[in-house]
Amino acid sequence: MLLSQARPLIGCCPLCAFAGVGKSSLVHLLCQNQVLGNPSWTVGCSVDVRIHDYKEGTPEEKTYYIELWDVGGSVGSATSVKSTRAVFYNLLNGIILVHDLTNKKSSQNLYRWSLEALNRDVAPTGVLVTNGDYDREQFADNQIPLLVIGTKLDQIPETKRNEVLTRTAFLAEDFNAEEINLDCTNPRYLAAGSSNAVKLSRFFDKVIEKRYFLRDGNQIPGFTERKRFGGGTLKSLHYD
Amino acid sequence: MSFLIDSSIMVTSQVLFFGFGWLFFMRQLFKDYEVRQYVVQVIFSVTFAFSCTMFELIIFEILGVLNSSSRYFHWKLNLCVILLILVFMVPFYIGYFVVSNIRLLHRQKLLFACVLWLTFMYFFWKLGDPFPILSPKHGILSIEQLISRVGVIGVTLMALLSGFGAVNCPYTYMSYFLRNVTDADILALERRLLQTMDMIVSKKKRIAVAHRTMFQRGEVHNKPTGFWGMIKSVTTSVAGSESILHLHVGTCLGRWPQLSSVLKGKALGSFDYAGLPDLSLIQQEVDALEELSRQLFLETADLHATKERIEYSKTFQGKYFNFLGYFFSIYCVWKIFMATINIVFDRVGKTDPVTRGIEITVNYLGIQFDVKFWSQHISFILVGIIIVTSIRGLLITLTKFFYAISSSKSSNVIVLLLAQIMGMYFVSSVLLIRMSMPLEYRTIITEVLGELQFNFYHRWFDVIFLVSALSSILFLYLAHKQAPEKHMAL
């Protein structure tokens, strides 16, 4: 989950020009294949659309729209902000959890974000769920595909990279999800054919399958699925 | 010998305060961030520790604990250290961290940090000129010069916070000001928000499809940057859309059945004559809709918050706070009134509330009691309450402020700014607290701080308090008025 430092503030404080974890940059990169030039605070929710080729390269190739919903706010927000965010959490098809590789605490907050997104937030007191207390049972019956993305890879010095990558690998395992680590200011991490692009593609395919094929046998021609970034969670919502 | 004992007591208490500041930093301020620069944490805790020690010394003064000469020595020492931190260390580190955030100046961080610090010192010095704070017979780098300037800044801050707090407190506590919000209002607003988001999504889909077509045709449209880029994009986009027109219509039917249905079913105004979407127009519509969605989101959050407050006000605690709110509003009006009187009549209070209270009870009510004994205890309690509430209030405000504006990049700088504000605030509280203490206890502050014009500070506090309270009233009134109008518009 993205520990978004974006609070509902309009305007950009000059010291905070590069705010937060980088959800908006990530969404921009995924949808426009371009680097976001001037990131600013995300107020409320912003949406972007990506066109995805389901099962690319096979005869059953079909094109779908994927909506990425990027919901700003922090996990420790007031209950009023949380209830407002809950409006966007209906009918997810997939969740992308985004965290900041340079900030350990953002990855620890991912557990709380995922619980909030799945409407099972039982820790309103702000006690962080650490690795030890994490209850895998809550995710055991979870059918929604998850993806964990770590941003700001370029800001980790070479010497610490291994240790950080091991930690994030454990994190992804906890969520039973695939993992991608990248730098949102450099489009080459998601270049076509790279392993990251393949993982992303597989994830979107899973989401589409879950939405359209597992529920009802027939295919509904490519309408949109919504994925929402909820503070770094990307949820898919289907739009009929 | 007694000096050693006294010093060890002081040092122990300082270590305790340091620990408390450290914990506060870790648990409250930086609970969402990783502390990478321990310098920041140390500086913050040290500032907090020395500020609290000053208050401790005041309490010791009233209670008569410790030897008076060792008290005096520790006062001087404490003051020197705090001034050193506030004027030299913290500004330098602020400059250093600001510079390290800017990529260009990375090479010569120290040099630029020194330049910034010198600029700060210059303005800090100039601050003393318009104010009649000192008698001119003091040297340049004496304690009095530094304290006087720190005092001005601190007193301004105190008055601003105090004015706003005095007005805001009854406004938030009393349920009289709560707007009436029903569930239906919230639902209606949420529905509007989702509708707006849906419209944004459909427009973005059109843009995405158009981009994809152009990309597949080999017209790689990079986003134009800069001034010339914008000029270029206007000329090329017009030409591009015409040439890919026919091919687009041809391919769409074969590959994208859904897209063809979109084109056939939704030929709206933003399509130009050739049937191809006019991207810049759609982008403008999207920007407008996004702005609208942000406003709606903020309004919805506001409504949720109001609804929560309404529910809270029905509980027992809520009723208690409501009652307190009435009490505080009376107190606030009285304070504003007193500040106005002080300024208009150029009045300077000579006696502190404790002595005056005792005078009144003894002279008018005829109750006789041991004045010395009671005055010591009452002033201890009064001063203690003032100190504790001001520390607590400041820490809470700092935390809220920090959460509101910090990000992972700027957290170090903001914490240091907060440490600076905290230090200045506490130093000036010492200046002002002198007024609330009986004469016999004021001597040490007067001795240590030298010949500051204390009356000026009180006058300055009154002026800024008045300005701050009145502008907060105006601001809250406007905000309150505006909100129900927005409701009507729904």
Side-chain angles (χ1 to χ4, degrees), chain B residues 134-168:
Chain B
L134 276 194
S135 28
K137 58 183 165 98
H138 290 280
I140 275 270
L141 216 57
S142 59
I143 289 191
E144 284 83 9
Q145 294 270 2
L146 294 177
I147 279 243
S148 61
R149 287 168 172 79
V150 168
V152 168
I153 302 179
V155 165
T156 317
L157 280 171
M158 274 187 81
L160 280 174
L161 282 178
S162 174
F164 180 70
V167 173
N168 195 35

Coordinates of all heavy atoms in Angstrom, one line a residue, chain B residues 134-168:
Chain B
L134 N 15.7 47.5 24.1 CA 16.9 47.5 25.0 C 17.4 48.9 25.3 O 17.3 49.8 24.4 CB 18.1 46.8 24.2 CG 18.1 45.3 24.3 CD1 19.5 44.9 23.8 CD2 18.0 44.8 25.8
S135 N 18.0 49.0 26.4 CA 18.8 50.2 26.6 C 20.1 50.0 25.9 O 20.7 48.9 25.9 CB 19.0 50.4 28.1 OG 19.0 49.2 28.8
P136 N 20.6 51.0 25.2 CA 21.7 50.8 24.3 C 23.1 50.6 24.9 O 24.1 50.6 24.2 CB 21.8 52.1 23.5 CG 21.2 53.1 24.4 CD 20.1 52.4 25.2
K137 N 23.2 50.3 26.2 CA 24.5 50.2 26.7 C 25.0 48.8 26.8 O 26.0 48.5 27.5 CB 24.6 50.9 28.1 CG 23.6 50.2 29.1 CD 23.7 51.0 30.4 CE 22.6 50.7 31.3 NZ 22.4 49.9 32.3
H138 N 24.4 47.9 26.0 CA 24.9 46.5 26.1 C 25.8 46.2 24.9 O 25.6 46.8 23.8 CB 23.7 45.6 26.2 CG 23.0 45.6 27.5 ND1 23.5 45.0 28.6 CD2 21.9 46.3 27.8 CE1 22.7 45.3 29.6 NE2 21.7 46.0 29.1
G139 N 26.6 45.3 25.1 CA 27.5 44.9 24.0 C 26.8 44.1 22.9 O 25.6 43.9 23.0
I140 N 27.5 43.8 21.9 CA 26.9 43.2 20.7 C 26.4 41.8 21.0 O 25.3 41.4 20.7 CB 27.9 43.2 19.5 CG1 27.9 44.5 18.8 CG2 27.5 42.1 18.5 CD1 26.9 44.6 17.6
L141 N 27.3 40.9 21.5 CA 26.9 39.5 21.6 C 26.5 39.1 23.0 O 26.7 38.0 23.4 CB 28.1 38.6 21.1 CG 27.6 37.4 20.3 CD1 26.8 37.8 19.1 CD2 28.8 36.6 19.9
S142 N 25.9 40.1 23.7 CA 25.5 39.7 25.0 C 24.2 39.0 25.0 O 23.4 39.0 24.1 CB 25.3 41.0 25.9 OG 24.3 41.8 25.3
I143 N 23.9 38.4 26.2 CA 22.7 37.6 26.3 C 21.5 38.5 26.1 O 20.5 38.0 25.4 CB 22.6 37.0 27.7 CG1 23.6 35.9 27.9 CG2 21.2 36.4 28.0 CD1 23.5 35.0 29.1
E144 N 21.5 39.7 26.6 CA 20.4 40.5 26.5 C 20.0 40.8 25.0 O 18.8 40.8 24.7 CB 20.6 41.9 27.1 CG 20.5 41.8 28.7 CD 21.8 41.4 29.2 OE1 22.8 41.3 28.4 OE2 21.9 41.1 30.4
Q145 N 21.0 41.1 24.2 CA 20.7 41.3 22.8 C 20.0 40.1 22.1 O 18.9 40.3 21.5 CB 22.0 41.6 22.0 CG 22.7 42.8 22.4 CD 22.2 44.0 21.6 OE1 21.3 43.9 20.7 NE2 22.9 45.1 21.8
L146 N 20.5 38.9 22.4 CA 20.0 37.8 21.7 C 18.6 37.5 22.3 O 17.6 37.2 21.5 CB 20.9 36.6 22.0 CG 22.2 36.7 21.3 CD1 23.1 35.4 21.7 CD2 22.1 36.7 19.8
I147 N 18.5 37.5 23.6 CA 17.2 37.2 24.2 C 16.1 38.2 23.8 O 15.0 37.7 23.6 CB 17.3 37.2 25.8 CG1 17.9 35.9 26.3 CG2 15.9 37.4 26.4 CD1 17.0 35.1 27.1
S148 N 16.5 39.4 23.6 CA 15.4 40.4 23.3 C 14.8 40.0 21.9 O 13.6 40.0 21.7 CB 16.0 41.8 23.3 OG 17.0 41.9 22.3
R149 N 15.7 39.7 21.0 CA 15.2 39.3 19.7 C 14.4 38.0 19.7 O 13.3 37.9 19.1 CB 16.3 39.3 18.7 CG 16.8 40.6 18.3 CD 18.1 40.6 17.6 NE 18.5 41.9 17.1 CZ 19.0 42.8 17.9 NH1 19.3 42.6 19.1 NH2 19.3 44.0 17.4
V150 N 15.0 37.0 20.3 CA 14.2 35.8 20.4 C 12.9 36.0 21.1 O 11.9 35.4 20.7 CB 15.1 34.7 21.3 CG1 14.3 33.5 21.6 CG2 16.3 34.3 20.5
G151 N 12.9 36.9 22.1 CA 11.7 37.1 22.8 C 10.6 37.7 21.9 O 9.4 37.4 22.0
V152 N 11.0 38.6 21.0 CA 10.0 39.2 20.1 C 9.4 38.2 19.3 O 8.1 38.1 19.1 CB 10.7 40.3 19.2 CG1 9.8 40.7 18.1 CG2 11.1 41.5 20.1
I153 N 10.2 37.3 18.7 CA 9.6 36.3 17.8 C 8.7 35.4 18.6 O 7.6 35.1 18.2 CB 10.8 35.5 17.1 CG1 11.7 36.4 16.3 CG2 10.2 34.4 16.2 CD1 12.8 35.7 15.7
G154 N 9.2 35.0 19.7 CA 8.5 34.0 20.5 C 7.2 34.6 21.0 O 6.1 33.9 21.0
V155 N 7.2 35.8 21.4 CA 5.9 36.5 21.9 C 4.9 36.6 20.8 O 3.7 36.4 21.0 CB 6.2 37.8 22.6 CG1 5.0 38.6 22.7 CG2 6.9 37.6 23.9
T156 N 5.4 36.9 19.6 CA 4.5 37.0 18.5 C 3.8 35.6 18.2 O 2.6 35.6 18.1 CB 5.3 37.4 17.2 OG1 6.2 38.4 17.5 CG2 4.3 37.8 16.1
L157 N 4.6 34.6 18.2 CA 4.1 33.2 18.1 C 3.1 32.9 19.1 O 2.0 32.4 18.8 CB 5.2 32.2 18.1 CG 6.0 32.1 16.9 CD1 7.2 31.2 17.2 CD2 5.2 31.4 15.8
M158 N 3.4 33.2 20.4 CA 2.5 32.9 21.5 C 1.2 33.6 21.3 O 0.1 33.0 21.5 CB 3.1 33.3 22.8 CG 4.1 32.4 23.4 SD 4.5 33.0 25.0 CE 3.1 32.5 26.0
A159 N 1.3 34.9 21.0 CA 0.1 35.6 20.9 C -0.8 35.1 19.7 O -2.0 35.0 19.8 CB 0.4 37.1 20.7
L160 N -0.2 34.8 18.6 CA -0.9 34.3 17.4 C -1.6 33.0 17.8 O -2.8 32.9 17.6 CB 0.0 34.0 16.3 CG 0.5 35.2 15.4 CD1 1.5 34.8 14.4 CD2 -0.7 35.8 14.7
L161 N -0.9 32.0 18.4 CA -1.5 30.8 18.8 C -2.6 31.0 19.8 O -3.6 30.3 19.7 CB -0.4 29.8 19.3 CG 0.5 29.2 18.3 CD1 1.5 28.3 19.0 CD2 -0.4 28.3 17.4
S162 N -2.3 31.8 20.8 CA -3.2 32.0 21.8 C -4.5 32.7 21.3 O -5.6 32.3 21.7 CB -2.5 32.9 22.9 OG -3.4 33.3 23.9
G163 N -4.4 33.7 20.4 CA -5.6 34.3 19.9 C -6.4 33.3 19.1 O -7.6 33.3 19.3
F164 N -5.8 32.6 18.2 CA -6.5 31.6 17.4 C -7.1 30.6 18.3 O -8.3 30.2 18.1 CB -5.6 31.0 16.4 CG -6.3 30.0 15.5 CD1 -7.3 30.4 14.6 CD2 -6.1 28.7 15.7 CE1 -8.0 29.5 13.8 CE2 -6.8 27.7 14.9 CZ -7.7 28.2 14.0
G165 N -6.4 30.1 19.3 CA -6.9 29.0 20.2 C -8.1 29.5 21.0 O -9.1 28.8 21.2
A166 N -8.0 30.8 21.5 CA -9.1 31.3 22.3 C -10.4 31.3 21.5 O -11.4 31.1 22.1 CB -8.7 32.7 22.8
V167 N -10.3 31.6 20.2 CA -11.5 31.7 19.4 C -12.0 30.3 19.0 O -13.1 30.0 19.0 CB -11.3 32.6 18.2 CG1 -12.5 32.6 17.3 CG2 -11.0 34.0 18.7
N168 N -11.0 29.5 18.6 CA -11.3 28.2 18.0 C -11.9 27.3 19.0 O -12.7 26.4 18.7 CB -10.1 27.6 17.3 CG -10.4 26.5 16.4 OD1 -11.4 26.5 15.7 ND2 -9.5 25.5 16.4

